[in-house]
Amino acid sequence: MFQFGRILAFCFLGEVLHVVLPLPVPASVYGLVLLLAALTAGIVKLEQVKETGTYLTGIFPLLFVPAAAGIMELWAEMGQLLLPILIAILPVTVLVMAAAGRTTQALTARNKKGEADHDGTAE
């Protein structure tokens, strides 16, 4: 319960920032960035949110069910906008996948290089 409370506190702070700052950023993103900053700075320890975070990411797909139901309800109206929606979604999806792949490759190469440097100096 305490772990969930900590995560909810950051969600609440994200809501506050969303109201205070005039930026087009969702409150949930503010909350996630604040939580990341707190974890990085050591204000919140990973053990203080890990169990609940793991649980929430495990049930994450269920959180999309209401959105999918809403889309199905509006399908008739969206059918007219299908082509513009696809034109907007497809390139962005490709860009996100490419960026994620490049980032993963760079981090993997950096980790391998760090391990090789570490192994070389240990001998």
Side-chain angles (χ1 to χ4, degrees), residues 29-75:
V29 173
Y30 283 127
L32 287 173
V33 169
L34 288 172
L35 181 57
L36 175 63
L39 285 165
T40 303
I43 297 168
V44 174
K45 304 289 184 225
L46 182 59
E47 297 79 32
Q48 294 175 325
V49 293
K50 185 175 183 178
E51 187 178 339
T52 299
T54 301
Y55 172 74
L56 289 174
T57 55
I59 65 165
F60 196 66
L62 292 176
L63 302 177
F64 287 103
V65 171
I71 289 173
M72 296 308 291
E73 188 175 297
L74 298 172
W75 186 252

mmCIF file of all heavy atoms in Angstrom, residues 29-75:
data_model
loop_
_atom_site.group_PDB
_atom_site.id
_atom_site.type_symbol
_atom_site.label_atom_id
_atom_site.label_comp_id
_atom_site.label_asym_id
_atom_site.label_seq_id
_atom_site.Cartn_x
_atom_site.Cartn_y
_atom_site.Cartn_z
ATOM 1 N N VAL A 29 2.738 12.203 -17.823
ATOM 2 C CA VAL A 29 4.136 12.341 -18.232
ATOM 3 C C VAL A 29 4.898 13.146 -17.182
ATOM 4 O O VAL A 29 6.027 12.796 -16.819
ATOM 5 C CB VAL A 29 4.249 12.986 -19.633
ATOM 6 C CG1 VAL A 29 5.694 13.294 -19.986
ATOM 7 C CG2 VAL A 29 3.623 12.074 -20.680
ATOM 8 N N TYR A 30 4.296 14.214 -16.700
ATOM 9 C CA TYR A 30 4.924 14.974 -15.614
ATOM 10 C C TYR A 30 5.200 14.067 -14.419
ATOM 11 O O TYR A 30 6.279 14.098 -13.830
ATOM 12 C CB TYR A 30 4.032 16.133 -15.151
ATOM 13 C CG TYR A 30 4.030 17.334 -16.054
ATOM 14 C CD1 TYR A 30 2.830 17.869 -16.519
ATOM 15 C CD2 TYR A 30 5.208 17.978 -16.418
ATOM 16 C CE1 TYR A 30 2.801 18.989 -17.327
ATOM 17 C CE2 TYR A 30 5.195 19.099 -17.232
ATOM 18 C CZ TYR A 30 3.990 19.599 -17.682
ATOM 19 O OH TYR A 30 3.970 20.702 -18.482
ATOM 20 N N GLY A 31 4.204 13.264 -14.050
ATOM 21 C CA GLY A 31 4.373 12.368 -12.909
ATOM 22 C C GLY A 31 5.496 11.369 -13.117
ATOM 23 O O GLY A 31 6.306 11.134 -12.213
ATOM 24 N N LEU A 32 5.569 10.793 -14.312
ATOM 25 C CA LEU A 32 6.633 9.837 -14.609
ATOM 26 C C LEU A 32 8.011 10.497 -14.586
ATOM 27 O O LEU A 32 8.970 9.916 -14.074
ATOM 28 C CB LEU A 32 6.390 9.189 -15.979
ATOM 29 C CG LEU A 32 5.260 8.171 -16.041
ATOM 30 C CD1 LEU A 32 5.017 7.745 -17.484
ATOM 31 C CD2 LEU A 32 5.577 6.969 -15.179
ATOM 32 N N VAL A 33 8.108 11.696 -15.120
ATOM 33 C CA VAL A 33 9.392 12.401 -15.116
ATOM 34 C C VAL A 33 9.798 12.740 -13.685
ATOM 35 O O VAL A 33 10.970 12.601 -13.311
ATOM 36 C CB VAL A 33 9.320 13.666 -16.010
ATOM 37 C CG1 VAL A 33 10.531 14.556 -15.810
ATOM 38 C CG2 VAL A 33 9.167 13.279 -17.471
ATOM 39 N N LEU A 34 8.843 13.162 -12.866
ATOM 40 C CA LEU A 34 9.152 13.454 -11.467
ATOM 41 C C LEU A 34 9.609 12.196 -10.726
ATOM 42 O O LEU A 34 10.566 12.236 -9.946
ATOM 43 C CB LEU A 34 7.933 14.063 -10.768
ATOM 44 C CG LEU A 34 7.582 15.494 -11.169
ATOM 45 C CD1 LEU A 34 6.251 15.903 -10.547
ATOM 46 C CD2 LEU A 34 8.677 16.454 -10.764
ATOM 47 N N LEU A 35 8.932 11.083 -10.971
ATOM 48 C CA LEU A 35 9.326 9.831 -10.333
ATOM 49 C C LEU A 35 10.715 9.404 -10.799
ATOM 50 O O LEU A 35 11.546 8.981 -9.989
ATOM 51 C CB LEU A 35 8.299 8.727 -10.611
ATOM 52 C CG LEU A 35 8.582 7.369 -9.986
ATOM 53 C CD1 LEU A 35 8.734 7.466 -8.468
ATOM 54 C CD2 LEU A 35 7.485 6.380 -10.351
ATOM 55 N N LEU A 36 10.985 9.525 -12.090
ATOM 56 C CA LEU A 36 12.311 9.205 -12.611
ATOM 57 C C LEU A 36 13.377 10.088 -11.963
ATOM 58 O O LEU A 36 14.443 9.607 -11.567
ATOM 59 C CB LEU A 36 12.349 9.361 -14.131
ATOM 60 C CG LEU A 36 13.718 9.157 -14.786
ATOM 61 C CD1 LEU A 36 14.212 7.726 -14.582
ATOM 62 C CD2 LEU A 36 13.651 9.501 -16.257
ATOM 63 N N ALA A 37 13.095 11.377 -11.839
ATOM 64 C CA ALA A 37 14.054 12.302 -11.212
ATOM 65 C C ALA A 37 14.286 11.920 -9.755
ATOM 66 O O ALA A 37 15.424 11.935 -9.273
ATOM 67 C CB ALA A 37 13.547 13.736 -11.330
ATOM 68 N N ALA A 38 13.211 11.562 -9.051
ATOM 69 C CA ALA A 38 13.347 11.174 -7.643
ATOM 70 C C ALA A 38 14.150 9.875 -7.510
ATOM 71 O O ALA A 38 14.967 9.743 -6.589
ATOM 72 C CB ALA A 38 11.971 11.028 -7.007
ATOM 73 N N LEU A 39 13.931 8.935 -8.416
ATOM 74 C CA LEU A 39 14.702 7.691 -8.388
ATOM 75 C C LEU A 39 16.168 7.952 -8.711
ATOM 76 O O LEU A 39 17.065 7.408 -8.060
ATOM 77 C CB LEU A 39 14.115 6.679 -9.380
ATOM 78 C CG LEU A 39 12.815 6.001 -8.963
ATOM 79 C CD1 LEU A 39 12.168 5.314 -10.157
ATOM 80 C CD2 LEU A 39 13.067 5.016 -7.844
ATOM 81 N N THR A 40 16.427 8.790 -9.702
ATOM 82 C CA THR A 40 17.795 9.099 -10.100
ATOM 83 C C THR A 40 18.538 9.846 -8.995
ATOM 84 O O THR A 40 19.710 9.577 -8.740
ATOM 85 C CB THR A 40 17.795 9.939 -11.395
ATOM 86 O OG1 THR A 40 17.088 9.217 -12.402
ATOM 87 C CG2 THR A 40 19.201 10.211 -11.884
ATOM 88 N N ALA A 41 17.842 10.768 -8.332
ATOM 89 C CA ALA A 41 18.466 11.565 -7.276
ATOM 90 C C ALA A 41 18.585 10.801 -5.962
ATOM 91 O O ALA A 41 19.235 11.266 -5.037
ATOM 92 C CB ALA A 41 17.672 12.847 -7.062
ATOM 93 N N GLY A 42 17.953 9.647 -5.884
ATOM 94 C CA GLY A 42 18.022 8.864 -4.658
ATOM 95 C C GLY A 42 17.011 9.277 -3.606
ATOM 96 O O GLY A 42 17.046 8.787 -2.478
ATOM 97 N N ILE A 43 16.096 10.179 -3.965
ATOM 98 C CA ILE A 43 15.046 10.599 -3.034
ATOM 99 C C ILE A 43 14.117 9.427 -2.760
ATOM 100 O O ILE A 43 13.692 9.207 -1.633
ATOM 101 C CB ILE A 43 14.274 11.810 -3.600
ATOM 102 C CG1 ILE A 43 15.227 12.995 -3.757
ATOM 103 C CG2 ILE A 43 13.092 12.168 -2.723
ATOM 104 C CD1 ILE A 43 14.672 14.138 -4.559
ATOM 105 N N VAL A 44 13.810 8.683 -3.809
ATOM 106 C CA VAL A 44 13.013 7.462 -3.693
ATOM 107 C C VAL A 44 13.919 6.313 -4.107
ATOM 108 O O VAL A 44 14.581 6.370 -5.141
ATOM 109 C CB VAL A 44 11.767 7.525 -4.607
ATOM 110 C CG1 VAL A 44 11.010 6.219 -4.601
ATOM 111 C CG2 VAL A 44 10.857 8.664 -4.204
ATOM 112 N N LYS A 45 13.949 5.292 -3.312
ATOM 113 C CA LYS A 45 14.742 4.096 -3.628
ATOM 114 C C LYS A 45 13.886 3.160 -4.479
ATOM 115 O O LYS A 45 12.668 3.076 -4.304
ATOM 116 C CB LYS A 45 15.178 3.381 -2.349
ATOM 117 C CG LYS A 45 15.952 4.255 -1.387
ATOM 118 C CD LYS A 45 17.326 4.560 -1.928
ATOM 119 C CE LYS A 45 18.116 5.353 -0.911
ATOM 120 N NZ LYS A 45 18.803 6.468 -1.491
ATOM 121 N N LEU A 46 14.533 2.441 -5.374
ATOM 122 C CA LEU A 46 13.821 1.525 -6.259
ATOM 123 C C LEU A 46 13.001 0.512 -5.466
ATOM 124 O O LEU A 46 11.877 0.185 -5.837
ATOM 125 C CB LEU A 46 14.801 0.813 -7.191
ATOM 126 C CG LEU A 46 14.186 -0.148 -8.206
ATOM 127 C CD1 LEU A 46 13.206 0.578 -9.122
ATOM 128 C CD2 LEU A 46 15.276 -0.810 -9.020
ATOM 129 N N GLU A 47 13.544 0.032 -4.367
ATOM 130 C CA GLU A 47 12.838 -0.954 -3.545
ATOM 131 C C GLU A 47 11.528 -0.398 -2.981
ATOM 132 O O GLU A 47 10.632 -1.154 -2.621
ATOM 133 C CB GLU A 47 13.718 -1.422 -2.383
ATOM 134 C CG GLU A 47 14.985 -2.138 -2.812
ATOM 135 C CD GLU A 47 16.086 -1.175 -3.261
ATOM 136 O OE1 GLU A 47 16.179 -0.042 -2.734
ATOM 137 O OE2 GLU A 47 16.848 -1.564 -4.161
ATOM 138 N N GLN A 48 11.413 0.928 -2.918
ATOM 139 C CA GLN A 48 10.223 1.561 -2.363
ATOM 140 C C GLN A 48 9.056 1.590 -3.346
ATOM 141 O O GLN A 48 7.935 1.900 -2.947
ATOM 142 C CB GLN A 48 10.542 2.985 -1.899
ATOM 143 C CG GLN A 48 11.514 3.036 -0.737
ATOM 144 C CD GLN A 48 11.914 4.450 -0.381
ATOM 145 O OE1 GLN A 48 12.046 5.314 -1.243
ATOM 146 N NE2 GLN A 48 12.116 4.678 0.905
ATOM 147 N N VAL A 49 9.303 1.296 -4.609
ATOM 148 C CA VAL A 49 8.230 1.304 -5.610
ATOM 149 C C VAL A 49 8.284 0.109 -6.560
ATOM 150 O O VAL A 49 7.414 -0.049 -7.406
ATOM 151 C CB VAL A 49 8.253 2.610 -6.444
ATOM 152 C CG1 VAL A 49 7.890 3.812 -5.594
ATOM 153 C CG2 VAL A 49 9.577 2.806 -7.132
ATOM 154 N N LYS A 50 9.294 -0.745 -6.426
ATOM 155 C CA LYS A 50 9.530 -1.807 -7.405
ATOM 156 C C LYS A 50 8.386 -2.821 -7.478
ATOM 157 O O LYS A 50 7.925 -3.165 -8.563
ATOM 158 C CB LYS A 50 10.838 -2.527 -7.091
ATOM 159 C CG LYS A 50 11.203 -3.564 -8.128
ATOM 160 C CD LYS A 50 12.551 -4.180 -7.858
ATOM 161 C CE LYS A 50 12.911 -5.152 -8.959
ATOM 162 N NZ LYS A 50 14.237 -5.719 -8.753
ATOM 163 N N GLU A 51 7.938 -3.316 -6.339
ATOM 164 C CA GLU A 51 6.905 -4.357 -6.340
ATOM 165 C C GLU A 51 5.608 -3.860 -6.991
ATOM 166 O O GLU A 51 5.043 -4.521 -7.859
ATOM 167 C CB GLU A 51 6.644 -4.823 -4.912
ATOM 168 C CG GLU A 51 5.704 -6.007 -4.829
ATOM 169 C CD GLU A 51 5.509 -6.472 -3.393
ATOM 170 O OE1 GLU A 51 6.352 -6.184 -2.526
ATOM 171 O OE2 GLU A 51 4.481 -7.129 -3.148
ATOM 172 N N THR A 52 5.161 -2.679 -6.598
ATOM 173 C CA THR A 52 3.936 -2.131 -7.169
ATOM 174 C C THR A 52 4.134 -1.761 -8.632
ATOM 175 O O THR A 52 3.250 -1.982 -9.457
ATOM 176 C CB THR A 52 3.468 -0.905 -6.370
ATOM 177 O OG1 THR A 52 3.205 -1.324 -5.030
ATOM 178 C CG2 THR A 52 2.212 -0.313 -6.951
ATOM 179 N N GLY A 53 5.308 -1.220 -8.976
ATOM 180 C CA GLY A 53 5.592 -0.879 -10.367
ATOM 181 C C GLY A 53 5.577 -2.103 -11.261
ATOM 182 O O GLY A 53 5.042 -2.071 -12.369
ATOM 183 N N THR A 54 6.146 -3.185 -10.776
ATOM 184 C CA THR A 54 6.142 -4.434 -11.534
ATOM 185 C C THR A 54 4.719 -4.945 -11.725
ATOM 186 O O THR A 54 4.341 -5.381 -12.817
ATOM 187 C CB THR A 54 6.998 -5.499 -10.814
ATOM 188 O OG1 THR A 54 8.326 -5.000 -10.675
ATOM 189 C CG2 THR A 54 7.029 -6.803 -11.598
ATOM 190 N N TYR A 55 3.922 -4.865 -10.667
ATOM 191 C CA TYR A 55 2.526 -5.295 -10.766
ATOM 192 C C TYR A 55 1.775 -4.433 -11.788
ATOM 193 O O TYR A 55 1.047 -4.959 -12.635
ATOM 194 C CB TYR A 55 1.845 -5.216 -9.397
ATOM 195 C CG TYR A 55 0.369 -5.460 -9.466
ATOM 196 C CD1 TYR A 55 -0.131 -6.741 -9.666
ATOM 197 C CD2 TYR A 55 -0.546 -4.412 -9.369
ATOM 198 C CE1 TYR A 55 -1.493 -6.974 -9.750
ATOM 199 C CE2 TYR A 55 -1.905 -4.634 -9.456
ATOM 200 C CZ TYR A 55 -2.377 -5.907 -9.644
ATOM 201 O OH TYR A 55 -3.711 -6.136 -9.742
ATOM 202 N N LEU A 56 1.944 -3.116 -11.706
ATOM 203 C CA LEU A 56 1.217 -2.222 -12.611
ATOM 204 C C LEU A 56 1.622 -2.436 -14.064
ATOM 205 O O LEU A 56 0.773 -2.398 -14.954
ATOM 206 C CB LEU A 56 1.436 -0.765 -12.198
ATOM 207 C CG LEU A 56 0.741 -0.336 -10.909
ATOM 208 C CD1 LEU A 56 1.159 1.077 -10.525
ATOM 209 C CD2 LEU A 56 -0.759 -0.445 -11.031
ATOM 210 N N THR A 57 2.910 -2.669 -14.311
ATOM 211 C CA THR A 57 3.316 -2.932 -15.692
ATOM 212 C C THR A 57 2.806 -4.295 -16.161
ATOM 213 O O THR A 57 2.597 -4.494 -17.352
ATOM 214 C CB THR A 57 4.843 -2.855 -15.878
ATOM 215 O OG1 THR A 57 5.472 -3.738 -14.959
ATOM 216 C CG2 THR A 57 5.349 -1.445 -15.675
ATOM 217 N N GLY A 58 2.594 -5.224 -15.229
ATOM 218 C CA GLY A 58 2.038 -6.528 -15.583
ATOM 219 C C GLY A 58 0.589 -6.444 -16.031
ATOM 220 O O GLY A 58 0.157 -7.190 -16.906
ATOM 221 N N ILE A 59 -0.171 -5.535 -15.434
ATOM 222 C CA ILE A 59 -1.588 -5.395 -15.807
ATOM 223 C C ILE A 59 -1.806 -4.261 -16.802
ATOM 224 O O ILE A 59 -2.939 -3.933 -17.140
ATOM 225 C CB ILE A 59 -2.487 -5.181 -14.567
ATOM 226 C CG1 ILE A 59 -2.165 -3.853 -13.890
ATOM 227 C CG2 ILE A 59 -2.379 -6.341 -13.607
ATOM 228 C CD1 ILE A 59 -3.226 -3.398 -12.902
ATOM 229 N N PHE A 60 -0.716 -3.683 -17.278
ATOM 230 C CA PHE A 60 -0.786 -2.542 -18.177
ATOM 231 C C PHE A 60 -1.714 -2.761 -19.379
ATOM 232 O O PHE A 60 -2.486 -1.871 -19.721
ATOM 233 C CB PHE A 60 0.621 -2.164 -18.626
ATOM 234 C CG PHE A 60 0.718 -0.803 -19.241
ATOM 235 C CD1 PHE A 60 0.496 0.331 -18.485
ATOM 236 C CD2 PHE A 60 1.047 -0.650 -20.567
ATOM 237 C CE1 PHE A 60 0.586 1.590 -19.046
ATOM 238 C CE2 PHE A 60 1.149 0.598 -21.132
ATOM 239 C CZ PHE A 60 0.921 1.722 -20.372
ATOM 240 N N PRO A 61 -1.670 -3.917 -20.050
ATOM 241 C CA PRO A 61 -2.564 -4.111 -21.202
ATOM 242 C C PRO A 61 -4.043 -3.963 -20.846
ATOM 243 O O PRO A 61 -4.835 -3.507 -21.663
ATOM 244 C CB PRO A 61 -2.255 -5.534 -21.674
ATOM 245 C CG PRO A 61 -0.858 -5.775 -21.227
ATOM 246 C CD PRO A 61 -0.730 -5.035 -19.917
ATOM 247 N N LEU A 62 -4.407 -4.319 -19.635
ATOM 248 C CA LEU A 62 -5.810 -4.173 -19.236
ATOM 249 C C LEU A 62 -6.252 -2.719 -19.206
ATOM 250 O O LEU A 62 -7.442 -2.417 -19.366
ATOM 251 C CB LEU A 62 -6.036 -4.800 -17.855
ATOM 252 C CG LEU A 62 -5.912 -6.319 -17.780
ATOM 253 C CD1 LEU A 62 -6.060 -6.784 -16.337
ATOM 254 C CD2 LEU A 62 -6.946 -6.987 -18.665
ATOM 255 N N LEU A 63 -5.320 -1.822 -18.998
ATOM 256 C CA LEU A 63 -5.658 -0.406 -18.934
ATOM 257 C C LEU A 63 -6.074 0.147 -20.291
ATOM 258 O O LEU A 63 -6.679 1.207 -20.372
ATOM 259 C CB LEU A 63 -4.484 0.389 -18.362
ATOM 260 C CG LEU A 63 -4.018 -0.046 -16.974
ATOM 261 C CD1 LEU A 63 -2.801 0.759 -16.549
ATOM 262 C CD2 LEU A 63 -5.127 0.082 -15.954
ATOM 263 N N PHE A 64 -5.755 -0.578 -21.368
ATOM 264 C CA PHE A 64 -6.128 -0.128 -22.699
ATOM 265 C C PHE A 64 -7.527 -0.581 -23.110
ATOM 266 O O PHE A 64 -8.049 -0.128 -24.117
ATOM 267 C CB PHE A 64 -5.106 -0.607 -23.738
ATOM 268 C CG PHE A 64 -3.816 0.125 -23.680
ATOM 269 C CD1 PHE A 64 -2.711 -0.450 -23.088
ATOM 270 C CD2 PHE A 64 -3.712 1.404 -24.200
ATOM 271 C CE1 PHE A 64 -1.512 0.232 -23.028
ATOM 272 C CE2 PHE A 64 -2.518 2.098 -24.143
ATOM 273 C CZ PHE A 64 -1.415 1.510 -23.550
ATOM 274 N N VAL A 65 -8.122 -1.472 -22.356
ATOM 275 C CA VAL A 65 -9.441 -1.995 -22.718
ATOM 276 C C VAL A 65 -10.486 -0.881 -22.799
ATOM 277 O O VAL A 65 -11.229 -0.803 -23.784
ATOM 278 C CB VAL A 65 -9.868 -3.129 -21.761
ATOM 279 C CG1 VAL A 65 -11.308 -3.533 -21.993
ATOM 280 C CG2 VAL A 65 -8.938 -4.323 -21.936
ATOM 281 N N PRO A 66 -10.588 0.021 -21.806
ATOM 282 C CA PRO A 66 -11.595 1.088 -21.931
ATOM 283 C C PRO A 66 -11.368 1.979 -23.146
ATOM 284 O O PRO A 66 -12.321 2.368 -23.823
ATOM 285 C CB PRO A 66 -11.442 1.887 -20.631
ATOM 286 C CG PRO A 66 -10.813 0.950 -19.674
ATOM 287 C CD PRO A 66 -9.932 0.055 -20.500
ATOM 288 N N ALA A 67 -10.111 2.284 -23.455
ATOM 289 C CA ALA A 67 -9.822 3.114 -24.626
ATOM 290 C C ALA A 67 -10.228 2.392 -25.905
ATOM 291 O O ALA A 67 -10.815 2.988 -26.810
ATOM 292 C CB ALA A 67 -8.345 3.475 -24.662
ATOM 293 N N ALA A 68 -9.936 1.101 -25.977
ATOM 294 C CA ALA A 68 -10.312 0.324 -27.162
ATOM 295 C C ALA A 68 -11.830 0.253 -27.302
ATOM 296 O O ALA A 68 -12.366 0.359 -28.406
ATOM 297 C CB ALA A 68 -9.721 -1.079 -27.082
ATOM 298 N N ALA A 69 -12.530 0.112 -26.175
ATOM 299 C CA ALA A 69 -13.995 0.087 -26.224
ATOM 300 C C ALA A 69 -14.535 1.432 -26.700
ATOM 301 O O ALA A 69 -15.489 1.485 -27.482
ATOM 302 C CB ALA A 69 -14.555 -0.257 -24.847
ATOM 303 N N GLY A 70 -13.917 2.509 -26.267
ATOM 304 C CA GLY A 70 -14.346 3.831 -26.714
ATOM 305 C C GLY A 70 -14.125 4.024 -28.198
ATOM 306 O O GLY A 70 -14.956 4.614 -28.895
ATOM 307 N N ILE A 71 -13.015 3.511 -28.699
ATOM 308 C CA ILE A 71 -12.742 3.609 -30.131
ATOM 309 C C ILE A 71 -13.774 2.810 -30.918
ATOM 310 O O ILE A 71 -14.274 3.256 -31.951
ATOM 311 C CB ILE A 71 -11.311 3.131 -30.452
ATOM 312 C CG1 ILE A 71 -10.315 4.162 -29.936
ATOM 313 C CG2 ILE A 71 -11.123 2.887 -31.942
ATOM 314 C CD1 ILE A 71 -8.874 3.741 -30.040
ATOM 315 N N MET A 72 -14.111 1.632 -30.429
ATOM 316 C CA MET A 72 -15.107 0.810 -31.131
ATOM 317 C C MET A 72 -16.468 1.495 -31.139
ATOM 318 O O MET A 72 -17.216 1.390 -32.109
ATOM 319 C CB MET A 72 -15.208 -0.569 -30.481
ATOM 320 C CG MET A 72 -13.935 -1.391 -30.567
ATOM 321 S SD MET A 72 -13.263 -1.526 -32.230
ATOM 322 C CE MET A 72 -14.477 -2.529 -33.016
ATOM 323 N N GLU A 73 -16.768 2.214 -30.080
ATOM 324 C CA GLU A 73 -18.043 2.924 -29.995
ATOM 325 C C GLU A 73 -18.101 4.062 -31.012
ATOM 326 O O GLU A 73 -19.155 4.372 -31.560
ATOM 327 C CB GLU A 73 -18.211 3.483 -28.575
ATOM 328 C CG GLU A 73 -19.567 4.073 -28.305
ATOM 329 C CD GLU A 73 -19.688 4.484 -26.856
ATOM 330 O OE1 GLU A 73 -19.609 3.605 -25.979
ATOM 331 O OE2 GLU A 73 -19.848 5.691 -26.614
ATOM 332 N N LEU A 74 -16.967 4.671 -31.285
ATOM 333 C CA LEU A 74 -16.902 5.795 -32.221
ATOM 334 C C LEU A 74 -16.445 5.380 -33.614
ATOM 335 O O LEU A 74 -16.067 6.224 -34.420
ATOM 336 C CB LEU A 74 -15.944 6.863 -31.668
ATOM 337 C CG LEU A 74 -16.344 7.497 -30.342
ATOM 338 C CD1 LEU A 74 -15.224 8.385 -29.833
ATOM 339 C CD2 LEU A 74 -17.631 8.273 -30.500
ATOM 340 N N TRP A 75 -16.468 4.084 -33.895
ATOM 341 C CA TRP A 75 -15.925 3.586 -35.156
ATOM 342 C C TRP A 75 -16.591 4.214 -36.379
ATOM 343 O O TRP A 75 -15.920 4.519 -37.365
ATOM 344 C CB TRP A 75 -16.032 2.079 -35.204
ATOM 345 C CG TRP A 75 -15.353 1.505 -36.410
ATOM 346 C CD1 TRP A 75 -15.937 0.958 -37.498
ATOM 347 C CD2 TRP A 75 -13.940 1.466 -36.654
ATOM 348 N NE1 TRP A 75 -14.981 0.558 -38.399
ATOM 349 C CE2 TRP A 75 -13.748 0.870 -37.910
ATOM 350 C CE3 TRP A 75 -12.825 1.880 -35.940
ATOM 351 C CZ2 TRP A 75 -12.496 0.673 -38.459
ATOM 352 C CZ3 TRP A 75 -11.571 1.685 -36.496
ATOM 353 C CH2 TRP A 75 -11.416 1.089 -37.732
#
